[in-house]
Amino acid sequence: MKPFSSSFGKTKKNKLAGFATTLIATLALAGGINSANANSLKTTTAQEITPVSVQVEPTKSTFPRYQAAAVEPFVLIPVVLVGGLVIFVPLFFGGLVVIGEREVGIVVKKFTISGKGLPAGQLIALNGEAGLQADTLAPGWHWGYWPWQYSVRKEAVVVVPQSEIALIVAADGESIPPERILGKIVDCDNFQDARKFLTHGGEKGRQMGFLTAGTYRINTALFKVITAANASSHGMSNEQLRVHTVASDKVGIVTTLDGMPISAGEIAGAVITGHDNFQNSQKFLDGGGRRGLQEQILLSGSWNLNPWFVNVEQVPMTEIPIGYVGVVISFVGKAQEDVSGAAFTHGNLVNPGHKGVWVEPLYPGKHPLNTRIMKVELVPTINIVLNWSGRTERHKYDANLEALTVRSKDGFAFDLEVSQIIHVGALDAPKVISRVGSMQNLVDNVLEPSIGNYFRNSAQDYTVLDFLNARSERQVEASEYIKAALRAYDVQAIDTLIGDIQPPASLMQTQTDRKIAEEERKTYEVQQMAQTQRQQLVRETALADIQQEMVKSEQSVQIAELKAQAQIKQANGEAEATKLKAMAEAEGIRATGNAKAETYRTGVDALGTQGYTAMQLMQIIGDRNVRLIPDILVGGSNGTTNGLVDGLLSMILWNQTNKTGEVTPPIPITPPVSQNGNSQLLVELPKDK
């Protein structure tokens, strides 16, 4: 891939002399043709064509003014011959090779005058030996490659598309050392300078170096280029020739395929700096990189990696859920330096980056860890429940736990269900893992024997019935004991709960029968008490009813007594009043009588006894309106006087003539008086007012 001046400067003197002779002959021939054409411009059309423009068109002439002239066959043949000579002579005698813009020329030298051949084991010639040449021809005109001595094969340039890489296999160079499987990287312009590759120690075989996206002029005689387009023909897949992409939520675990073996006692190669995430494999090896599993990981992104050098496995990031911490157990790193302190004698805790259990846990979130060289043990920091029964919690730590079978003081074996609530602090989690290895080991090797043995021992101090009856006391005792026992393992016992107790069936049947009998006895007693209370109630009800009557009677007696007393008092009062009234009236009468007597004495003294008496009678008749003569006199029916009927008619007429609206007083009727043998009815008519 050198320009003409560079190629020309490296040819031999005989090539230069031959080229000069050919050039002179070509120019002389061209001058003779031009001279002949100048003497016969009007003879034929073919003579008008200059040797520079050898272009024949079968239909029409190049110049319109000679279209009427006829072209003779015997004239066209020399022109064709001359044109062929003009083209053939430079190619054959000048060794002209034309390379296109997107081509590269692969040169094969057929022979040398000196007869010098390639050394044994060498495929590409560097010093002009016969065979495949290291130097290629770049686009352009190249002289001196005579066809009898050189063969030039034109190859298309190598194009590596975006997001792809191309691998290289060198056919010549030094041998790869036994400790390596890939040829080292040599500064050779991305394998475009084959001479520099071979002279600077390039090694044959698969190469560490590779081509990224771009266009390259490669000597395909020395380098075989493997791209995604031809990967299947070389036993590879298209994906291997693509840029490796690590997803955002994953990490790439790297295994290198070349380098020195990993040191004894290690499982992964140490972290090497300066190789740009395994993209520069030569710097990795120069820095002491080891083949095999690597501590370093690839984070999310796109990486140009040689699949012959590294193998990448993508795994999800380590996720620590909420409510948990992750205790890291590293199998690689610096030598162990225990930082747990003298008080902790159940394992070693180390700082991050050292081999062992890290003293600092991982908190909830996603962490890019190499899970091939370290293990993360999840430890719940929330309260978890462990059941010694047929029930299993979602964490599955108690999947192997069953109800405890214990024996009581009276020799009965019974099943006991227990639930234990525990808590592991975030900062205590590394200590727990360092001591027991995992949460499952904590349950199987610590909690299960501790709690099981406690209840087996404590059950022997009580009978079954005592255990049943004093269940709450047994639970408190168990909780206190287990808290103290688990504190030594850096585990907090929150509470211990006794669940279902299943005594022997025969004992429970006896107890059931006894309980039923006891309940029946209590029922009878309650019924008897109810009947007694019922009788008492009836008695009390009757007494209450009688009492009500008694109260009424007593109240009636009291009321009667009060009434009698009231009447007595009233009678006494009335008697006293009557007495007083009588005494007053008597006194009044006495006074009146005395006064009247005095009056009478005075009247008698004044008028005399008969006169005064007559005066008093007249006064009484006048005051009382006493009629001395009746209005109607009814006599007997002897004809001398009116009869009874006449008297009644007279009375009716008298009433009709009375004033309207006035009340007629009753007519006093004097019973008939028998006088002289005749009955007479006296009717006194009322006097008009």
Side-chain angles (χ1 to χ4, degrees):
M1 294 177 293
K2 298 177 182 177
F4 169 74
S5 59
S6 176
S7 300
F8 183 76
K10 292 185 178 181
T11 57
K12 298 181 179 180
K13 293 182 179 180
N14 56 355
K15 181 184 290 187
L16 180 60
F19 175 73
T21 304
T22 303
L23 180 59
I24 294 172
T26 302
L27 294 175
L29 180 60
I33 294 173
N34 290 335
S35 177
N37 289 337
N39 293 330
S40 57
L41 286 175
K42 300 181 180 180
T43 305
T44 60
T45 304
Q47 294 176 352
E48 294 291 330
I49 303 175
T50 62
V52 180
S53 179
V54 184
Q55 195 171 21
V56 180
E57 295 186 10
T59 56
K60 58 182 179 178
S61 175
T62 305
F63 303 100
R65 59 179 179 175
Y66 300 111
Q67 290 180 358
V71 180
E72 299 295 338
F74 65 88
V75 178
L76 183 58
I77 293 175
V79 174
V80 174
L81 292 176
V82 171
L85 290 174
V86 171
I87 298 174
F88 175 75
V89 169
L91 294 177
F92 188 78
F93 294 99
L96 176 62
V97 176
V98 180
I99 304 299
E101 294 180 356
R102 299 186 64 81
E103 294 178 338
V104 60
I106 309 300
V107 180
V108 180
K109 194 172 185 179
K110 298 178 181 180
F111 64 92
T112 59
I113 298 176
S114 61
K116 182 179 179 181
L118 290 172
Q122 186 174 341
L123 179 64
I124 305 299
L126 295 173
N127 300 314
E129 301 92 346
L132 293 169
Q133 301 299 303
D135 301 320
T136 58
L137 301 182
W141 287 21
H142 301 272
W143 301 90
Y145 293 93
W146 298 285
W148 62 82
Q149 188 178 11
Y150 295 95
S151 174
V152 179
R153 184 174 72 251
K154 298 179 181 180
E155 297 284 350
V157 295
V158 175
V159 178
V160 180
Q162 292 292 330
S163 302
E164 293 183 9
I165 62 172
L167 302 179
I168 303 297
V169 179
D172 199 359
E174 300 178 3
S175 297
I176 298 176
E179 65 272 11
R180 290 189 291 105
I181 63 174
L182 297 178
K184 64 182 179 181
I185 296 178
V186 177
D187 184 12
C188 58
D189 191 18
N190 289 314
F191 302 101
Q192 296 181 105
D193 192 340
R195 178 178 293 278
K196 197 172 183 180
F197 174 84
L198 295 174
T199 56
H200 285 70
E203 298 170 344
K204 67 179 64 176
R206 293 181 176 182
Q207 301 297 305
M208 291 185 186
F210 54 90
L211 302 178
T212 57
T215 302
Y216 304 89
R217 295 195 297 271
I218 304 295
N219 187 341
T220 56
L222 175 60
F223 301 112
K224 181 188 298 182
V225 182
I226 303 176
T227 62
N230 61 2
S232 58
S233 61
H234 294 85
M236 302 185 70
S237 65
N238 295 344
E239 293 299 326
Q240 291 180 288
L241 277 301
R242 299 187 187 278
V243 175
H244 194 88
T245 301
V246 179
S248 59
D249 59 343
K250 294 185 178 181
V251 296
I253 298 178
V254 178
T255 301
T256 58
L257 306 177
D258 201 355
M260 298 296 293
I262 295 176
S263 302
E266 300 292 339
I267 64 171
V271 177
I272 305 298
T273 60
H275 54 80
D276 193 16
N277 290 302
F278 303 97
Q279 295 183 108
N280 192 330
S281 52
Q282 190 62 53
K283 288 186 177 180
F284 175 82
L285 297 179
D286 294 343
R290 306 283 179 162
R291 76 176 65 184
L293 181 64
Q294 301 297 310
E295 294 184 21
Q296 185 178 350
I297 58 175
L298 292 178
L299 300 180
S300 61
S302 297
W303 312 98
N304 292 314
L305 302 176
N306 188 338
W308 289 337
F309 176 69
V310 294
N311 198 0
V312 180
E313 177 188 5
Q314 294 193 37
V315 297
M317 288 187 179
T318 301
E319 182 177 0
I320 308 298
I322 296 176
Y324 288 79
V325 294
V327 178
V328 179
I329 305 173
S330 179
F331 307 124
V332 299
K334 301 177 183 179
Q336 293 182 353
E337 294 181 5
D338 187 17
V339 295
S340 60
F344 186 77
T345 60
H346 304 281
N348 295 332
L349 299 178
V350 299
N351 289 321
H354 291 252
K355 184 184 298 185
V357 180
W358 289 3
V359 68
E360 297 179 3
L362 300 178
Y363 291 95
K366 288 188 176 181
H367 303 269
L369 300 179
N370 189 340
T371 54
R372 296 291 185 272
I373 63 172
M374 58 182 61
K375 177 184 177 182
V376 178
E377 186 70 27
L378 292 179
V379 177
T381 56
I382 57 176
N383 293 347
I384 62 174
V385 180
L386 302 172
N387 297 312
W388 277 260
S389 63
R391 183 178 61 184
T392 302
E393 299 293 333
R394 295 177 62 183
H395 49 66
K396 301 298 182 183
Y397 293 138
D398 55 356
N400 298 327
L401 301 180
E402 298 178 352
L404 300 174
T405 301
V406 299
R407 189 172 296 277
S408 64
K409 184 178 180 180
D410 49 0
F412 288 102
F414 61 94
D415 292 336
L416 178 65
E417 293 184 356
V418 179
S419 295
Q420 179 64 48
I421 304 174
I422 64 172
H423 172 74
V424 179
L427 298 179
D428 293 331
K431 295 180 181 180
V432 173
I433 298 303
S434 178
R435 184 193 299 264
V436 298
S438 66
M439 285 297 296
Q440 191 63 53
N441 290 342
L442 175 67
V443 175
D444 296 340
N445 302 332
V446 177
L447 296 176
E448 198 280 331
S450 299
I451 296 176
N453 289 336
Y454 169 77
F455 281 103
R456 292 185 182 95
N457 295 335
S458 63
Q460 294 180 352
D461 297 334
Y462 306 95
T463 64
V464 177
L465 298 180
D466 291 340
F467 206 96
L468 285 171
N469 296 331
R471 171 178 172 176
S472 58
E473 288 81 357
R474 304 291 82 78
Q475 182 171 291
V476 173
E477 294 173 358
S479 179
E480 295 299 327
Y481 174 84
I482 294 172
K483 282 182 180 179
L486 296 185
R487 194 176 299 117
Y489 294 91
D490 299 300
V491 177
Q492 302 176 26
I494 304 301
D495 200 0
T496 302
L497 306 174
I498 297 178
D500 189 17
I501 301 176
Q502 300 177 359
S506 58
L507 178 62
M508 289 306 298
Q509 183 63 39
T510 303
Q511 293 299 316
T512 302
D513 295 342
R514 181 182 302 174
K515 189 66 176 177
I516 292 175
E518 181 69 20
E519 293 299 325
E520 288 179 350
R521 183 183 63 81
K522 290 182 179 180
T523 301
Y524 296 152
E525 291 178 356
V526 171
Q527 290 177 351
Q528 182 180 5
M529 186 181 297
Q531 293 297 332
T532 303
Q533 291 180 354
R534 181 174 176 274
Q535 295 175 1
Q536 186 69 22
L537 177 62
V538 172
R539 184 181 297 108
E540 294 294 335
T541 303
L543 291 176
D545 295 339
I546 296 173
Q547 187 69 26
Q548 184 177 2
E549 296 296 332
M550 292 175 62
V551 170
K552 288 182 179 180
S553 300
E554 291 177 356
Q555 294 298 325
S556 298
V557 171
Q558 292 180 2
I559 292 171
E561 290 178 353
L562 293 175
K563 287 182 177 180
Q565 292 177 3
Q567 289 177 356
I568 291 172
K569 288 183 179 181
Q570 183 178 2
N572 292 332
E574 290 178 353
E576 187 68 24
T578 303
K579 181 179 179 181
L580 294 176
K581 183 177 180 182
M583 293 175 64
E585 289 180 353
E587 187 66 27
I589 292 171
R590 186 182 296 111
T592 303
N594 292 331
K596 286 183 177 182
E598 185 65 27
T599 302
Y600 290 159
R601 278 194 299 270
T602 303
V604 169
D605 292 339
L607 298 177
T609 303
Q610 295 180 351
Y612 184 77
T613 301
M615 184 185 67
Q616 288 294 325
L617 290 172
M618 294 302 293
Q619 185 177 357
I620 292 170
I621 293 170
D623 292 336
R624 296 187 179 182
N625 296 322
V626 177
R627 294 182 181 182
L628 297 179
I629 299 174
D631 292 330
I632 300 172
L633 179 62
V634 178
S637 58
N638 53 5
T640 58
T641 58
N642 294 330
L644 179 60
V645 176
D646 294 335
L648 291 175
L649 291 174
S650 298
M651 186 180 62
I652 291 171
L653 291 174
W654 184 86
N655 285 332
Q656 289 180 351
T657 58
N658 198 10
K659 295 181 179 179
T660 303
E662 294 183 357
V663 179
T664 302
I667 301 174
I669 301 176
T670 303
V673 180
S674 177
Q675 191 175 18
N676 297 320
N678 296 322
S679 295
Q680 295 181 351
L681 178 62
L682 298 178
V683 179
E684 183 178 2
L685 297 175
K687 185 179 180 179
D688 295 335
K689 294 181 180 181

